[in-house]
């Protein structure tokens, strides 16, 4: 088939959900490396799991979340063109996460659930008192009950570097998202504890967090905040700093997998991506965070790509109700057995080859669909395309690396 090259910026889509929960545990240092489990939001282990839904309905919901996120990207892009970059630099885009991980906050540890993604920075949770909070299923975090909670003084150098504002001698934050959601509250230092796959949880004392007292918008009632894995000063990755040498990676188990293993998020020495099959590309700092199941390309580019894929497959197309994908075929074969051309995604300095398991998804028991879609906004390299790849981020080198991997092992 013909080779198509796109010059559009592609944002890596890796939105996660942190499941922060209390348990009995032993503690280990973050220095060196450690890994944590990631649980897909549609997994039976997830608090978002709905047992009444069929696999096709869960897929349709995931695709719908992808489309909604893309619409939020378009809204932010429109704001940028109307108001200029200086006025929207602090505007982030609210994402619905697809994965969960275990951790805890405070002393004694307090269970919370927080959306996390690689495109935002601040770690925040809803806190008591909360005169203007969205409805939350779980109890709110009460900083008065934690022996390690300490507000950030307004007079501190750290407050000035964070562009915080002053109120009652405390350093305050305000963050807005492209869909109109917001969080406002006070900066504080608190102990964050991550659940390692070794069984020895990793305590992170004096972690900078936001304690939100005014939070509203499109937040889910089963989540209580956001954990940022971006490149800013407030992000978890930056705060872990030298202890992880600026490295983290993830390995997402295929949604087609029948294995009971979970995906993994790795830090430090555990996050190193090496070997002869590794390809790397520079990280481009942009205005837009990521987080979609699908991969999106510009409309004209996508139209050419779809035509070539359809030509190479040569089967009769079918329409699948309630699935927002245009290229679908009748097939009872597994995605791995479905005959489709290998696609190569050309990043700068890195060619990533995708087989049918990465490019087609089972929409119903009798149909599979191309897991790519058109956009008039930015291009996004979605989660489905990253499954069964070890994807590593190196903040020091400013690179993203890819290695084909069986993420069930």
């Amino acid at each position: 088939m013909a080779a198509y090259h796109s010059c559009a910026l592609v944002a890596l889509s890796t939105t996660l959900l942190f499941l922060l929960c209390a348990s009995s545990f032993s503690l280990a240092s973050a220095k060196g490396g450690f890994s944590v489990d990631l649980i897909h939001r549609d997994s039976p282990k997830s608090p978002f799991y709905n047992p009444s839904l069929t696999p096709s309905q869960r897929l349709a919901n995931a695709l719908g979340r992808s489309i909604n996120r893309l619409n939020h990207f378009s809204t932010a892009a429109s704001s940028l063109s109307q108001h200029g970059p200086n006025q929207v630099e602090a505007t982030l885009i609210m994402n619905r996460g697809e994965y969960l991980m275990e951790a805890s906050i405070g002393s004694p540890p307090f269970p919370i659930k927080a959306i996390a993604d690689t495109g935002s920075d601040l770690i925040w949770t809803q806190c008591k008192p909360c005169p203007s909070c969205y409805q939350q299923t779980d109890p709110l975090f009460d900083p008065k009950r934690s022996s390690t909670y300490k507000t950030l003084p307004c007079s501190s150098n750290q407050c000035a570097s964070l562009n915080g504002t002053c109120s009652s001698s405390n350093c305050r934050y305000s963050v807005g998202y492209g869909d109109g959601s917001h969080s406002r509250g006070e900066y504080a230092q608190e102990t964050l504890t991550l659940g390692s796959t070794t069984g020895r949880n990793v305590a992170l004392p004096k972690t900078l967090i936001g304690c939100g007292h005014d939070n509203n918008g499109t937040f889910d009632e089963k989540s209580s905040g956001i954990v940022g894995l971006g490149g800013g000063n407030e992000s978890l990755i930056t705060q872990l700093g030298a202890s992880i040498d600026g490295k983290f990676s993830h390995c997402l188990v295929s949604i087609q997998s029948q294995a009971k293993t979970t995906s993994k998020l790795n830090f430090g020495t555990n996050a190193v991506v090496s070997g002869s099959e590794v390809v790397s590309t520079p990280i481009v700092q942009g205005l837009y965070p990521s987080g979609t199941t699908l991969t999106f390309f510009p409309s004209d580019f996508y139209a050419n790509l779809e035509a070539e894929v359809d030509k190479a497959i040569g089967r009769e197309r079918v329409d699948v109700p309630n699935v927002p994908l245009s290229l679908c075929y009748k097939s009872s074969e597994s995605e791995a057995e479905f005959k489709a051309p290998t696609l190569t995604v050309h990043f700068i300095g890195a060619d990533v080859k995708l087989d049918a398991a990465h490019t087609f998804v089972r929409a119903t028991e009798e149909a599979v669909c191309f897991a790519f879609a058109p956009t008039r906004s930015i291009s996004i390299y979605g989660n489905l395309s990253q499954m069964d790849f070890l994807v590593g981020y190196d903040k020091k080198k400013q690179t993203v690396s890819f290695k084909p991997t069986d993420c069930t092992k």
Side-chain angles (χ1 to χ4, degrees):
M1 62 182 291
Y4 283 94
H5 299 263
S6 173
C7 295
L9 172 66
V10 178
L12 283 175
S13 169
T14 315
T15 304
L16 315 171
L17 275 170
F18 275 65
L19 174 61
L20 296 107
C21 59
S23 62
S24 58
F25 48 77
S26 59
L27 300 180
S29 169
K31 192 171 182 61
F34 63 97
S35 300
V36 298
D37 288 323
L38 295 176
I39 303 169
H40 195 276
R41 68 174 292 150
D42 289 330
S43 162
K45 297 180 180 180
S46 163
F48 294 89
Y49 180 71
N50 184 345
S52 67
L53 297 180
T54 66
S56 297
Q57 289 173 323
R58 293 190 184 97
L59 172 64
N61 289 343
L63 300 182
R65 291 192 295 268
S66 288
I67 300 298
N68 288 337
R69 286 180 210 124
L70 194 68
N71 291 337
H72 296 159
F73 292 140
S74 300
T75 300
S78 175
S79 177
L80 176 62
S81 64
Q82 293 177 19
H83 302 293
N86 292 334
Q87 290 180 263
V88 296
E89 282 181 342
T91 298
L92 305 176
I93 297 172
M94 177 62 202
N95 294 324
R96 300 289 187 185
E98 296 297 321
Y99 291 87
L100 305 167
M101 63 177 288
E102 294 185 346
S104 64
I105 189 170
S107 302
F110 182 84
I112 69 171
K113 304 179 186 75
I115 299 169
D117 103 270
T118 56
S120 61
D121 299 319
L122 181 64
I123 304 168
W124 66 265
T125 185
Q126 296 204 114
C127 293
K128 289 184 177 181
C130 208
S132 182
C133 277
Y134 62 89
Q135 185 64 39
Q136 177 180 314
T137 303
D138 294 333
L140 297 180
F141 174 64
D142 187 350
K144 292 182 178 179
R145 296 187 173 223
S146 173
S147 62
T148 48
Y149 183 87
K150 183 179 180 182
T151 56
L152 193 66
C154 194
S155 58
S156 65
N157 292 332
Q158 191 174 17
C159 183
S161 67
L162 294 168
N163 296 318
T165 58
C166 295
S167 176
S168 302
S169 75
N170 293 336
C171 184
R172 300 187 62 81
Y173 75 90
S174 178
V175 59
Y177 298 89
D179 63 350
S181 302
H182 70 264
S183 175
R184 304 182 185 111
E186 61 187 15
Y187 282 115
Q189 291 182 332
E190 180 59 290
T191 297
L192 180 68
T193 306
L194 303 180
S196 172
T197 55
T198 64
R200 299 192 66 203
N201 291 15
V202 179
L204 308 173
K206 298 183 178 180
T207 300
L208 178 71
I209 68 167
C211 200
H213 303 291
D214 177 0
N215 321 291
N216 274 293
T218 61
F219 303 111
D220 194 297
E221 65 179 9
K222 293 182 179 179
S223 66
S224 53
I226 291 180
V227 174
L229 293 171
N233 292 333
E234 311 100 308
S235 80
L236 177 61
I237 302 303
T238 301
Q239 292 192 66
L240 285 170
S243 67
I244 62 168
D245 199 31
K247 296 181 178 68
F248 74 101
S249 66
H250 58 75
C251 205
L252 306 181
V253 174
S254 171
I255 60 174
Q256 278 84 245
S257 173
Q258 299 300 313
K260 296 183 179 180
T261 56
T262 59
S263 301
K264 296 291 185 291
L265 180 63
N266 314 298
F267 298 90
T269 54
N270 285 27
V272 174
V273 182
S274 60
S276 59
E277 296 182 279
V278 176
V279 293
S280 301
T281 188
I283 293 175
V284 178
Q285 299 296 335
L287 288 174
Y288 306 105
S290 55
T292 67
T293 299
L294 298 173
T295 290
F296 291 93
F297 287 127
S299 298
D300 292 345
F301 177 87
Y302 173 80
N304 290 330
L305 175 63
E306 182 185 286
E308 289 295 323
V309 171
D310 186 32
K311 180 180 177 181
I313 292 176
R315 291 193 180 194
E316 182 180 355
R317 297 170 65 161
V318 296
D319 292 325
V320 181
N322 302 318
V323 173
L325 297 174
S326 59
L327 183 59
C328 300
Y329 301 96
K330 186 175 182 179
S331 172
S332 58
E333 306 156 280
S334 70
E335 288 79 350
E337 296 172 333
F338 181 74
K339 302 301 182 183
T342 297
L343 302 185
T344 302
V345 180
H346 300 287
F347 294 101
I348 297 174
D351 286 352
V352 180
K353 297 183 182 299
L354 303 177
D355 58 21
H358 294 95
T359 57
F360 278 83
V361 64
R362 178 151 302 284
T364 69
E365 292 183 0
E366 298 180 346
V368 296
C369 295
F370 192 41
F372 289 55
T375 175
R376 294 181 180 177
S377 182
I378 63 169
S379 298
I380 302 175
Y381 192 60
N383 290 334
L384 287 175
S385 296
Q386 297 179 60
M387 291 179 177
D388 276 335
F389 278 90
L390 181 59
V391 182
Y393 299 80
D394 191 320
K395 189 176 178 183
K396 283 188 174 181
K397 294 181 179 179
Q398 286 292 293
T399 59
V400 181
S401 299
F402 302 86
K403 180 181 181 180
T405 304
D406 182 351
C407 292
T408 64
K409 297 180 179 178

